[in-house]
Structures are given as structure tokens and as C-alpha cells.
Amino acid sequence: HLIPYIFLTTPTNKIFVTRRTSNQTENRLHNKASIGIGGHVGEFSNSMSIYTNVLFGAIRELNEELYGVGIEVLMAQHLNLKLVGFVDRNADEVSQVHFGMVFHLLVDTDMASEIRIKETKNMIGKWMDVDDAFMIDNYELWSKTLLDEIWGK
């Protein structure tokens, strides 16, 4: 499955970190920490490129999971949502059946406080200094990979 996987940062070196609760649907990710918001793209439109299908999927995921990142906000920031790479790890059950297109959303510092989790029974989230994010344990594999590869800790 092709998955858009979006991580959010601010210019002041903050990153949005979430933790799934045991109430959410994907049992294999219960209580795992994450720096990514993502999910299945769904049906592809034949009238758009693969990239555009996945980009729309990324925007949909952000809108489903978070307050403060509606399409109006993304448009106001000139769609500051950028494809930065891919993640394909086969080291665990989840990764074996998913391929991630990694997007970065740089959030204006003034807008960061508006970003929060919609379904708080399924997930909690908060902004953290990147250095503090490394102190969190039990990350899902993709998040751990991105933290290590992007920030080199």
C-alpha cells in the first residue's frame, strides 16, 4: 500500500509528535509514538498523476487527523507541503506491506498552536523540540528511521 506520511516542523526546530492509543484501529501501532501523520491513499484517479493522487491523499489525511491544517491553511502557506523522500523498511509487520512517500509540512510558528489532534481518544500529540523528541521511546519504525536520517542522532 502506498502511504503519504507527513511530518510537521516549525522554523524554531519544533516537531509534532503523536502517540496512538489502544483505542485506534491499527492494533500493530497501539501505544507507538510517531512523527508522521499518514494513511492509505484510497482510490486513485486516472486523470491525475500518481504524485498528485498521493498529495491529495496527504492533504486528506492532515484534514482527517488534525485541526489547524485545513486546505485553506495549506493554500495560505502556498501549499508548503513538500515531498522530501520515501521510506521502505521491511523490518516489521506494518512496514512489510506499506511504502511511504514522505512529505514535510513547515508550519509557521504563529500557527503551530492551532494544530492539534481531532480524535483524542485515538491519539495524543504535542509540539516538542527535536532534541527532546529523541527522548521518546517506542517509536513506530518509519518515525525512528526519519528522526535518525533527517536529524542524524
Side-chain angles (χ1 to χ4, degrees), residues 4-123:
Y5 195 73
I6 309 101
F7 68 97
L8 293 77
T9 65
T10 68
T12 57
N13 211 30
K14 302 265 189 207
I15 189 164
F16 196 71
V17 178
T18 65
R19 185 175 297 276
R20 289 175 167 82
T21 70
S22 57
N23 292 326
Q24 63 94 38
T25 55
E26 179 55 76
N27 292 339
R28 298 173 294 189
L29 297 175
H30 282 180
N31 302 309
K32 295 275 188 178
S34 179
I35 63 166
I37 302 293
H40 294 103
V41 173
E43 295 236 2
F44 273 64
S45 168
N46 292 331
S47 64
M48 295 187 292
S49 69
I50 291 172
Y51 171 79
T52 302
N53 275 281
V54 177
L55 178 64
F56 284 172
I59 293 168
R60 188 196 69 244
E61 283 297 322
L62 288 168
N63 283 311
E64 285 177 2
E65 301 290 344
L66 302 174
Y67 289 114
V69 290
I71 189 64
E72 300 84 10
V73 173
L74 290 170
M75 292 302 281
Q77 292 194 12
H78 308 288
L79 274 177
N80 201 7
L81 181 63
K82 308 288 185 216
L83 178 65
V84 295
F86 304 93
V87 63
D88 184 25
R89 302 287 307 265
N90 291 315
D92 67 16
E93 247 179 77
V94 176
S95 297
Q96 289 174 359
V97 294
H98 295 98
F99 178 84
M101 289 181 70
V102 180
F103 291 85
H104 175 226
L105 179 61
L106 182 63
V107 178
D108 185 67
T109 304
D110 296 339
M111 295 181 67
S113 63
E114 296 179 31
I115 300 209
R116 58 194 191 286
I117 301 293
K118 284 185 177 178
E119 295 181 2
T120 54
K121 71 179 190 312
N122 294 329
M123 188 183 307

